[in-house]
Amino acid sequence: MSYNTFGHLFRVTTWGESHGPALGATVDGCPPGIEISEEFIQVFLDRRRPGQSKMTTQRQEPDRVKILSGTFEGRTTGTPIQLMIENTDQRSKDYGEIARQFRPGHADLAYHQKYGIRDYRGGGRSSARETAARVAAGGVAQAVLKALVPGLRITGYMVQMGVKQISRERFDRDEILRNPFFIPDAAVVDEWADYLEAVRKNQNSVGAMIEVVAEGCPPGLGAPIYAKMDSDLAAAMMSINAVKAVEIGEGMAAAGLTGAENADEIRMGPSGPVYETNHAGGILGGITTGQPIVLRFAVKPTSSILTPRRSIDVAGNEVEVITKGRHDPCVGIRAVPVAEAMMACVILDHLLLDRGQTGGVRGRIG
Amino acid sequence: MSYNTFGHLFRVTTWGESHGPALGATVDGCPPGIEISEEFIQVFLDRRRPGQSKMTTQRQEPDRVKILSGTFEGRTTGTPIQLMIENTDQRSKDYGEIARQFRPGHADLAYHQKYGIRDYRGGGRSSARETAARVAAGGVAQAVLKALVPGLRITGYMVQMGVKQISRERFDRDEILRNPFFIPDAAVVDEWADYLEAVRKNQNSVGAMIEVVAEGCPPGLGAPIYAKMDSDLAAAMMSINAVKAVEIGEGMAAAGLTGAENADEIRMGPSGPVYETNHAGGILGGITTGQPIVLRFAVKPTSSILTPRRSIDVAGNEVEVITKGRHDPCVGIRAVPVAEAMMACVILDHLLLDRGQTGGVRGRIG
Amino acid sequence: MSYNTFGHLFRVTTWGESHGPALGATVDGCPPGIEISEEFIQVFLDRRRPGQSKMTTQRQEPDRVKILSGTFEGRTTGTPIQLMIENTDQRSKDYGEIARQFRPGHADLAYHQKYGIRDYRGGGRSSARETAARVAAGGVAQAVLKALVPGLRITGYMVQMGVKQISRERFDRDEILRNPFFIPDAAVVDEWADYLEAVRKNQNSVGAMIEVVAEGCPPGLGAPIYAKMDSDLAAAMMSINAVKAVEIGEGMAAAGLTGAENADEIRMGPSGPVYETNHAGGILGGITTGQPIVLRFAVKPTSSILTPRRSIDVAGNEVEVITKGRHDPCVGIRAVPVAEAMMACVILDHLLLDRGQTGGVRGRIG
Amino acid sequence: MSYNTFGHLFRVTTWGESHGPALGATVDGCPPGIEISEEFIQVFLDRRRPGQSKMTTQRQEPDRVKILSGTFEGRTTGTPIQLMIENTDQRSKDYGEIARQFRPGHADLAYHQKYGIRDYRGGGRSSARETAARVAAGGVAQAVLKALVPGLRITGYMVQMGVKQISRERFDRDEILRNPFFIPDAAVVDEWADYLEAVRKNQNSVGAMIEVVAEGCPPGLGAPIYAKMDSDLAAAMMSINAVKAVEIGEGMAAAGLTGAENADEIRMGPSGPVYETNHAGGILGGITTGQPIVLRFAVKPTSSILTPRRSIDVAGNEVEVITKGRHDPCVGIRAVPVAEAMMACVILDHLLLDRGQTGGVRGRIG
């Protein structure tokens, strides 16, 4: 079965193909009475919109979101919200080759083998274009979180692109939206730009690592044992195209630490428990601790490159594939707003779940 | 809400606390007519059983599984299978301190904050003891897979423990079950043993990295977009106690690669498509390719150590916590059979899902 | 949480309000490779379309369905199918009164109390207009069933309208689509027409009873214990606006029977077991027997009538409500194609579920 | 797939066969901090226990419930509650005939056809014995409802048994627990007893109709469109063994009413809206109105009778089946506590769902 829904109570079902008439998200379980507008959601979509710089695909799409249901007089009604984005730039062209060939690194062959049929136009359903629908749904989640958890702030940014890394010392949040890479380090922007341009000229692509942080998330969110906050976040990030790894807090590095090093010691603060450190990345036993949730994930390099790669076609003939067309030399860049959207959806979902089970009451200290 | 179920069609619900009368798993959606026995499942439980060496907790538990329902005359009937493991070694002792104190690195405080009440005996529900139920359920999955996918082989092993790593050159599968670390490298067993003993004597603990490989998994498994095979595997591994990171194929390293390096080229083999390499780790677009599924995850060091750590108690007093009792200096060791069990459940679940939607038919090549 | 999805593997999520820009259904889990077209689905929509006779609301809507995703070159791809129906006849008018008053028998007050906000235009989400989306989804299910279970035939018809009943002796399937009531009894059409016209002139409305039969449904469908075929059918029918009762086979009459009367005796036929009678209505233990599934449900009279009824407004003032506008004097009539659609979805869903768990294999006799 | 779980947030998974070592229920999603004990749950189990009078099966079972997990110091912890009931009276006998024959009216043939294998001992999983697990789970729900909705009272009783009916005029709630039929009419107890005894002597059985009423249920519960309160209640009741019909409020009779008759007029009471009548049975648009929820369902006559019925065996031979053993001449009697348990679970489930989505806030009047 095809599972195009995520979430437990705040449920998002995305639909649509890269080159179909439209794509979108059906958002069910949104709380009622929340202020919402197409403009509010559009802000998030604009951040991931392609064609904004030579760093991303030149495909020109306004990606205008339309709300078709679920709101009334500017507020959510608690009924399903249908978000539609029309595809306006599906250049009609001859797909002859791509229709028969399987592009290495893509899902072409996997889809063919599983379904026996596939919409080969621009990768169809497996296109990263599907993430536009996630970002729109994330906009709804952000609107709800803004109302229910005013202090919450979700911030995503790149920390690595191919061989390039940012400097944690120079971390500057305000810089993130000022450059096309979503990096918090003004000093390396030009260097990264030259590097990526060289990669692109070289008919190649590179991978990336993104970090997403949620500050101001209340403690107590997460549904052990099998819908732990970290478990759901890992699934959400891994479901984004090209993602190959997810880590929380110390992540992979935890394998090399000792218990004494890794323990986040606790002391009593004026308004409750305070952790001295955050090796855990804000999650213990699958439940948020109230510390910042810190998550990183790796995105593989764009598989669509002009460098010829060997493959086969549906007839079983061996062929050489060159993926022409408009592709991001680093898909990781646009994964940043997508990851923020996914995190917003997961946190809201667990906020509603927790309210459902515990009533949102918290155990007292002192 | 507390989510203690995982799986879509093959659904496993685990229940039980560390020091309650029993724990177990309710397995629903198991196909009928499959040969199964307590002995078959016991083999897997024995692999994770504690008290087998000084490398793991000295808690002595036979961990005998009983099948209470769902089978008849040695075969599954398609009805829910209840697997129960009685707790026989819950030493009754004074929990006075632990009852009021929150152990750093553990879920104690998180559970208290979320639920306002917790079974503090041995960590209650958040104890790694819960994984015994997963291993039992995994035994059922292995029995079904044995019947439905004879060629499938799932193998887990440690590749790192603290500062120690294995040598890929000396990889020897047969060695894995010969040593207490589940490592495929005979040459380092003594060295790892001395290292871990030193860590333990030093009242400390270490983390670990485990690799799990599934060979012979058919292509076409995985339910895009939000129940991708890698997405479900990531969630499954991240739900295991103390796991902080999961990666597939190149994983984190993919961030540093170029598209030309990362592409798995395809050629036509005698019995179908063959991939030249496996950077993807056997999964593309969330669907299995027929190549080995390769997954790694990091386990943080045991939080229960004799080294005093600062924390607070329920009254808000600052305290020093020393976690006495019987603890694994490296919880990662026993995570190996648990991870194999989780992978078996996820693969079977997707086999059933795929059969449900596509009928298990595969698109032809040539 | 608002649950706008039904189905286990074949999942339908409907969205949209009576007077919004559009409504529709997101169909996920549809098998791939199935021939489908807007024309095929339109046939079912046309059957429930309003404005076809004075027996139903005069609201004029073409109810044209558009497929926005999930198909390629006339076949399903296994990805979500988005079905959209634009609302073209939402007469803009002053809703002043209805905006503040709660219509008796409607969900107005219930929605207000639950959500604190409601789209009062034409009943918003609680309008029977939502069923257009179900019928469109049912069209997809019918297309799949046509391919997977060629012999299956689902037929709905009215058996009672207010004080009028059909004669079982004169049952004539071909007549069903020839009259505006979907009744299989030509002899009473004029009588029913006069009766309903009198009811309408009398500013009143009437209830109805509908029967739906599925012939050629294979045995073995239904997922005990809590997704029994009859259990899922009951939920599906009860979810249709204004439905107050559902019965299978003997239904309510079973309370008055003896075991000897009610037993469906079995003998061996040429191609397998044959039941002598069908008191069970084709379902035993929640599993289909291969006999016709026979289901009946009661629809309450339209609550929107011109006869004044006492109610209150949002300020708590007592008021007299007269529901003007275009309303069916008997909503039961258009419930017929809706019920057929729901049954098609439920049967297909269980066909896929059964294939997932048992592989669709059947136990042999002899 | 076999679906042995019901509920959205308060999830109950039952397991076990009639003649296995034990059966039970895994209750997940129970709110934390609720006072609970085996004694509290036992009270409900004792009401459905067999062997209490010659009106029900003579099978002697103490049906003692054990809580194996999910509670600590007399309170729920928010973790899964495992309820186990050991089978103590599975008379070992020769099942030779029943093992090969399919009992008419039972699920024997359906299970054989679907699964290809079945536990024929006492009907295995399809035995009404499964309902003991539901009653235990219902006891947990009752404990939670007692704490969260003190005013709620759920009452079930028989209104018809075969040709016998109660008199509404003589309705006396206190009488319900005083007689073996759970009827609120003292005047007919002896008459019903003689009637049932005659039926039994006549080697026959009879059907029954049960009514269940929930008073004090808050308004606003129910999740439109596809988890409406009436939709979920219908599914819950239809999932009980032998149930063939479910109706809410006017139910089937609604088909014969006019809109003017059926409208429940509303006026303003001191503490909020008051409905003049309750034709709706406490549910409008799938949402509770605050009026009593009124539900009725029909149970078919016991299929196990001593009167010979024609059937076939696994070899396809035609045979005559006489179902010996200990059977209720009217299974409807013990369906009363089962139905109360199901309603308690559904109401609690929706209370948690509503709290999750709307926060349980209610729209104001005035």
Side-chain angles (χ1 to χ4, degrees), chain B residues 172-226:
Chain B
D172 172 8
R173 162 180 278 110
D174 302 335
E175 176 59 27
I176 296 171
L177 294 184
R178 288 203 207 101
N179 64 73
F181 299 107
F182 303 112
I183 49 176
D185 179 358
V188 298
V189 173
D190 295 345
E191 180 191 340
W192 284 39
D194 297 342
Y195 171 65
L196 191 60
E197 182 57 13
V199 165
R200 201 176 60 74
K201 282 224 177 76
N202 197 16
Q203 315 197 326
N204 213 339
S205 62
V206 283
M209 193 175 302
I210 287 89
E211 185 166 276
V212 190
V213 176
E215 294 158 293
C217 181
L221 305 189
I225 301 292
Y226 300 113

Coordinates of all heavy atoms in Angstrom, one line a residue, chain B residues 172-226:
Chain B
D172 N 34.5 -11.5 9.5 CA 34.3 -13.0 9.5 C 32.9 -13.2 10.1 O 32.8 -13.2 11.4 CB 35.4 -13.7 10.3 CG 35.1 -15.2 10.5 OD1 34.1 -15.7 9.9 OD2 35.8 -15.8 11.2
R173 N 31.9 -13.5 9.3 CA 30.5 -13.6 9.9 C 30.5 -14.7 10.9 O 29.8 -14.6 12.0 CB 29.6 -14.0 8.7 CG 28.3 -14.6 9.3 CD 27.3 -14.9 8.2 NE 26.5 -13.7 7.8 CZ 26.7 -13.1 6.6 NH1 27.6 -13.6 5.7 NH2 25.9 -12.1 6.3
D174 N 31.2 -15.8 10.7 CA 31.1 -17.0 11.6 C 31.5 -16.6 13.0 O 31.2 -17.2 14.0 CB 31.9 -18.2 11.1 CG 31.4 -18.6 9.7 OD1 30.2 -18.3 9.4 OD2 32.2 -19.1 8.9
E175 N 32.4 -15.6 13.1 CA 32.9 -15.2 14.4 C 31.9 -14.5 15.3 O 32.0 -14.5 16.5 CB 34.1 -14.2 14.2 CG 34.8 -13.6 15.4 CD 35.3 -14.7 16.4 OE1 35.6 -15.8 15.9 OE2 35.3 -14.4 17.6
I176 N 30.9 -13.9 14.6 CA 29.9 -13.0 15.4 C 29.3 -13.7 16.6 O 29.3 -13.1 17.7 CB 28.8 -12.5 14.4 CG1 29.4 -11.7 13.3 CG2 27.7 -11.8 15.2 CD1 28.4 -11.3 12.2
L177 N 28.9 -15.0 16.4 CA 28.3 -15.6 17.6 C 29.3 -16.3 18.5 O 28.9 -16.9 19.5 CB 27.2 -16.6 17.0 CG 26.1 -16.0 16.3 CD1 25.0 -17.0 15.9 CD2 25.4 -14.9 17.2
R178 N 30.6 -16.2 18.2 CA 31.5 -16.9 19.0 C 32.1 -16.0 20.1 O 32.7 -16.5 21.0 CB 32.7 -17.3 18.1 CG 32.5 -18.5 17.2 CD 33.8 -19.2 16.8 NE 33.6 -19.8 15.5 CZ 34.1 -19.3 14.4 NH1 34.8 -18.2 14.4 NH2 33.9 -20.0 13.2
N179 N 31.8 -14.7 20.1 CA 32.3 -13.8 21.1 C 31.2 -13.0 21.7 O 30.1 -12.9 21.1 CB 33.4 -12.9 20.5 CG 32.8 -11.9 19.5 OD1 32.1 -11.0 19.8 ND2 33.0 -12.2 18.2
P180 N 31.4 -12.5 22.9 CA 30.3 -11.9 23.7 C 29.9 -10.5 23.2 O 29.0 -9.9 23.6 CB 30.9 -11.8 25.1 CG 32.3 -11.7 24.9 CD 32.6 -12.6 23.7
F181 N 30.7 -10.0 22.2 CA 30.4 -8.7 21.6 C 29.7 -8.7 20.3 O 29.4 -7.6 19.8 CB 31.8 -7.9 21.4 CG 32.6 -7.8 22.6 CD1 33.8 -8.5 22.8 CD2 32.2 -6.8 23.6 CE1 34.5 -8.4 24.0 CE2 33.0 -6.7 24.7 CZ 34.2 -7.4 24.9
F182 N 29.4 -9.8 19.8 CA 28.8 -9.9 18.4 C 29.7 -9.1 17.4 O 29.2 -8.3 16.7 CB 27.4 -9.4 18.4 CG 26.4 -10.0 19.4 CD1 25.9 -9.4 20.5 CD2 26.0 -11.3 19.2 CE1 25.0 -10.0 21.3 CE2 25.1 -12.0 20.0 CZ 24.6 -11.3 21.1
I183 N 31.0 -9.4 17.5 CA 31.8 -8.7 16.5 C 32.4 -9.7 15.5 O 32.7 -10.8 15.9 CB 33.0 -7.9 17.1 CG1 33.8 -8.7 18.2 CG2 32.5 -6.6 17.7 CD1 35.0 -7.9 18.7
P184 N 32.5 -9.3 14.2 CA 33.0 -10.2 13.2 C 34.5 -10.2 13.0 O 35.0 -10.3 11.9 CB 32.2 -9.6 11.9 CG 32.2 -8.2 12.2 CD 32.1 -8.0 13.7
D185 N 35.2 -10.0 14.1 CA 36.6 -9.8 14.0 C 37.3 -10.4 15.2 O 37.4 -9.8 16.2 CB 36.9 -8.3 13.9 CG 38.4 -8.0 13.8 OD1 39.2 -8.9 13.9 OD2 38.8 -6.8 13.7
A186 N 37.7 -11.7 15.0 CA 38.3 -12.5 16.1 C 39.5 -11.8 16.7 O 39.8 -11.8 17.9 CB 38.6 -13.9 15.6
A187 N 40.3 -11.1 15.9 CA 41.6 -10.5 16.3 C 41.4 -9.5 17.5 O 42.4 -9.3 18.2 CB 42.3 -9.9 15.1
V188 N 40.3 -8.9 17.6 CA 40.2 -7.8 18.6 C 39.4 -8.1 19.8 O 39.2 -7.3 20.7 CB 39.6 -6.5 17.9 CG1 40.5 -6.0 16.8 CG2 38.2 -6.8 17.4
V189 N 38.9 -9.4 19.8 CA 38.0 -9.8 20.9 C 38.7 -9.5 22.3 O 38.1 -8.8 23.2 CB 37.5 -11.2 20.8 CG1 36.8 -11.7 22.1 CG2 36.7 -11.4 19.6
D190 N 39.9 -10.0 22.5 CA 40.5 -9.9 23.8 C 40.8 -8.4 24.1 O 40.5 -7.9 25.2 CB 41.9 -10.7 23.8 CG 41.6 -12.2 23.6 OD1 40.5 -12.6 23.9 OD2 42.6 -12.9 23.3
E191 N 41.2 -7.7 23.1 CA 41.5 -6.3 23.3 C 40.2 -5.5 23.7 O 40.2 -4.8 24.7 CB 42.0 -5.7 21.9 CG 42.3 -4.2 21.9 CD 42.5 -3.7 20.5 OE1 42.8 -4.6 19.6 OE2 42.4 -2.5 20.2
W192 N 39.1 -5.8 23.1 CA 37.8 -5.2 23.4 C 37.4 -5.6 24.9 O 36.9 -4.8 25.6 CB 36.7 -5.6 22.5 CG 36.7 -4.9 21.1 CD1 37.8 -4.6 20.4 CD2 35.6 -4.4 20.4 NE1 37.5 -4.0 19.2 CE2 36.1 -3.9 19.2 CE3 34.2 -4.5 20.6 CZ2 35.3 -3.3 18.2 CZ3 33.4 -3.9 19.6 CH2 33.9 -3.3 18.5
A193 N 37.7 -6.9 25.2 CA 37.3 -7.4 26.5 C 38.1 -6.6 27.6 O 37.5 -6.1 28.6 CB 37.6 -8.9 26.6
D194 N 39.4 -6.5 27.4 CA 40.2 -5.7 28.4 C 39.8 -4.3 28.5 O 39.6 -3.7 29.6 CB 41.7 -5.8 27.9 CG 42.3 -7.2 27.9 OD1 41.6 -8.1 28.5 OD2 43.3 -7.4 27.2
Y195 N 39.5 -3.7 27.3 CA 39.1 -2.3 27.3 C 37.8 -2.1 28.1 O 37.7 -1.2 29.0 CB 38.8 -1.9 25.8 CG 38.2 -0.5 25.6 CD1 38.8 0.7 26.1 CD2 36.9 -0.4 25.0 CE1 38.2 1.9 25.9 CE2 36.3 0.8 24.8 CZ 37.0 2.0 25.3 OH 36.4 3.2 25.1
L196 N 36.8 -3.0 27.8 CA 35.5 -2.8 28.5 C 35.6 -3.1 30.0 O 35.0 -2.4 30.8 CB 34.5 -3.8 27.9 CG 33.0 -3.5 28.3 CD1 32.6 -2.1 28.0 CD2 32.1 -4.6 27.7
E197 N 36.5 -4.1 30.3 CA 36.7 -4.4 31.8 C 37.3 -3.1 32.5 O 36.9 -2.8 33.6 CB 37.6 -5.6 31.9 CG 37.9 -6.0 33.3 CD 36.6 -6.4 34.1 OE1 35.6 -6.5 33.5 OE2 36.7 -6.5 35.4
A198 N 38.2 -2.5 31.8 CA 38.8 -1.3 32.4 C 37.8 -0.2 32.6 O 37.7 0.5 33.6 CB 40.0 -0.8 31.4
V199 N 36.9 0.0 31.5 CA 35.9 1.0 31.6 C 35.0 0.7 32.9 O 34.7 1.5 33.6 CB 35.0 0.9 30.3 CG1 33.7 1.7 30.6 CG2 35.8 1.5 29.2
R200 N 34.6 -0.6 33.0 CA 33.7 -1.0 34.1 C 34.4 -0.8 35.4 O 33.8 -0.1 36.3 CB 33.4 -2.5 33.9 CG 32.1 -3.0 34.7 CD 31.8 -4.4 34.4 NE 32.9 -5.3 34.8 CZ 33.2 -5.6 36.1 NH1 32.4 -5.1 37.0 NH2 34.2 -6.4 36.4
K201 N 35.6 -1.2 35.5 CA 36.4 -1.0 36.8 C 36.5 0.5 37.1 O 36.4 0.9 38.3 CB 37.8 -1.6 36.7 CG 37.9 -3.1 36.8 CD 39.1 -3.5 37.7 CE 39.2 -5.0 37.9 NZ 39.7 -5.7 36.7
N202 N 36.5 1.3 36.1 CA 36.6 2.7 36.2 C 35.3 3.4 36.5 O 35.1 4.6 36.3 CB 37.2 3.3 34.9 CG 37.7 4.7 35.1 OD1 37.9 5.1 36.2 ND2 37.9 5.4 34.0
Q203 N 34.3 2.5 36.9 CA 32.9 2.9 37.2 C 32.3 3.8 36.1 O 31.6 4.7 36.3 CB 33.0 3.8 38.5 CG 33.8 3.1 39.6 CD 33.5 3.7 40.9 OE1 33.2 4.9 41.1 NE2 33.6 2.9 41.9
N204 N 32.6 3.4 34.8 CA 32.2 4.1 33.7 C 31.5 3.2 32.7 O 31.3 2.0 33.0 CB 33.4 4.8 33.0 CG 33.0 6.2 32.4 OD1 31.8 6.4 32.1 ND2 34.0 7.0 32.2
S205 N 31.1 3.7 31.5 CA 30.5 3.0 30.5 C 30.9 3.5 29.1 O 31.5 4.6 29.1 CB 29.0 3.0 30.7 OG 28.5 4.4 30.5
V206 N 30.6 2.8 28.1 CA 30.9 3.4 26.7 C 29.7 3.1 25.7 O 28.9 2.2 25.9 CB 32.2 2.7 26.1 CG1 33.4 3.2 26.7 CG2 32.1 1.2 26.2
G207 N 29.8 3.9 24.7 CA 28.8 3.8 23.6 C 29.2 2.7 22.6 O 30.2 2.1 22.8
A208 N 28.4 2.6 21.5 CA 28.7 1.6 20.5 C 28.0 1.9 19.2 O 27.1 2.7 19.2 CB 28.3 0.2 21.0
M209 N 28.6 1.3 18.1 CA 27.9 1.4 16.8 C 27.7 0.0 16.3 O 28.6 -0.8 16.4 CB 28.7 2.2 15.8 CG 27.9 2.6 14.6 SD 28.8 3.7 13.5 CE 29.2 5.0 14.6
I210 N 26.4 -0.2 15.9 CA 26.0 -1.5 15.4 C 25.7 -1.4 13.9 O 25.1 -0.4 13.5 CB 24.8 -2.0 16.2 CG1 25.2 -2.5 17.6 CG2 24.1 -3.2 15.5 CD1 25.2 -1.4 18.6
E211 N 26.0 -2.4 13.2 CA 25.6 -2.5 11.8 C 24.7 -3.7 11.6 O 24.9 -4.8 12.2 CB 26.8 -2.7 10.9 CG 26.5 -2.6 9.4 CD 27.8 -2.4 8.5 OE1 28.3 -1.3 8.4 OE2 28.4 -3.4 8.1
V212 N 23.6 -3.5 10.8 CA 22.7 -4.6 10.5 C 22.5 -4.7 9.0 O 22.3 -3.7 8.3 CB 21.3 -4.4 11.2 CG1 20.4 -5.6 11.1 CG2 21.4 -3.9 12.6
V213 N 22.7 -5.9 8.5 CA 22.6 -6.1 7.1 C 21.5 -7.2 6.8 O 21.4 -8.2 7.4 CB 23.9 -6.6 6.5 CG1 23.8 -6.9 5.0 CG2 25.0 -5.5 6.7
A214 N 20.7 -6.9 5.8 CA 19.7 -7.8 5.3 C 20.0 -8.2 3.9 O 19.9 -7.4 3.0 CB 18.3 -7.3 5.4
E215 N 20.4 -9.5 3.7 CA 20.7 -10.0 2.4 C 19.6 -10.8 1.9 O 18.9 -11.5 2.6 CB 22.0 -10.9 2.4 CG 23.2 -10.1 2.8 CD 24.3 -11.0 3.3 OE1 24.1 -11.5 4.5 OE2 25.4 -11.1 2.7
G216 N 19.3 -10.8 0.6 CA 18.2 -11.6 0.0 C 16.8 -11.0 0.1 O 15.8 -11.7 0.0
C217 N 16.8 -9.7 0.5 CA 15.5 -9.0 0.6 C 15.0 -8.7 -0.8 O 15.7 -8.1 -1.6 CB 15.6 -7.7 1.4 SG 14.1 -6.9 1.6
P218 N 13.8 -9.1 -1.2 CA 13.3 -8.9 -2.5 C 13.2 -7.4 -2.9 O 13.0 -6.6 -1.9 CB 11.9 -9.5 -2.5 CG 11.5 -9.7 -1.1 CD 12.8 -9.8 -0.3
P219 N 13.3 -7.0 -4.1 CA 13.1 -5.6 -4.5 C 11.6 -5.2 -4.4 O 10.7 -6.1 -4.3 CB 13.5 -5.5 -6.0 CG 13.3 -6.9 -6.5 CD 13.5 -7.8 -5.3
G220 N 11.3 -3.9 -4.3 CA 9.9 -3.5 -4.4 C 9.2 -3.3 -3.0 O 8.1 -2.9 -3.0
L221 N 10.0 -3.5 -1.9 CA 9.3 -3.3 -0.6 C 9.6 -1.9 -0.1 O 10.6 -1.3 -0.3 CB 9.9 -4.3 0.4 CG 9.8 -5.8 0.0 CD1 10.2 -6.7 1.2 CD2 8.5 -6.2 -0.4
G222 N 8.5 -1.4 0.5 CA 8.6 0.0 1.0 C 7.4 0.8 0.5 O 7.0 0.6 -0.7
A223 N 6.8 1.6 1.3 CA 5.6 2.3 0.9 C 5.8 3.8 0.9 O 5.6 4.5 1.9 CB 4.4 1.9 1.9
P224 N 6.2 4.3 -0.3 CA 6.3 5.8 -0.4 C 4.9 6.4 -0.1 O 3.9 5.8 -0.4 CB 6.7 6.0 -1.8 CG 7.0 4.7 -2.4 CD 6.4 3.6 -1.5
I225 N 4.9 7.6 0.4 CA 6.1 8.5 0.7 C 6.4 8.5 2.2 O 7.6 8.7 2.5 CB 5.7 10.0 0.3 CG1 5.3 10.1 -1.2 CG2 6.8 11.0 0.6 CD1 6.5 9.8 -2.2
Y226 N 5.5 8.1 3.0 CA 5.7 8.2 4.5 C 5.9 6.9 5.2 O 5.9 6.9 6.5 CB 4.7 9.2 5.1 CG 4.7 10.5 4.4 CD1 3.7 11.0 3.7 CD2 5.8 11.3 4.5 CE1 3.7 12.2 3.0 CE2 5.9 12.5 3.9 CZ 4.9 13.0 3.2 OH 4.9 14.2 2.5

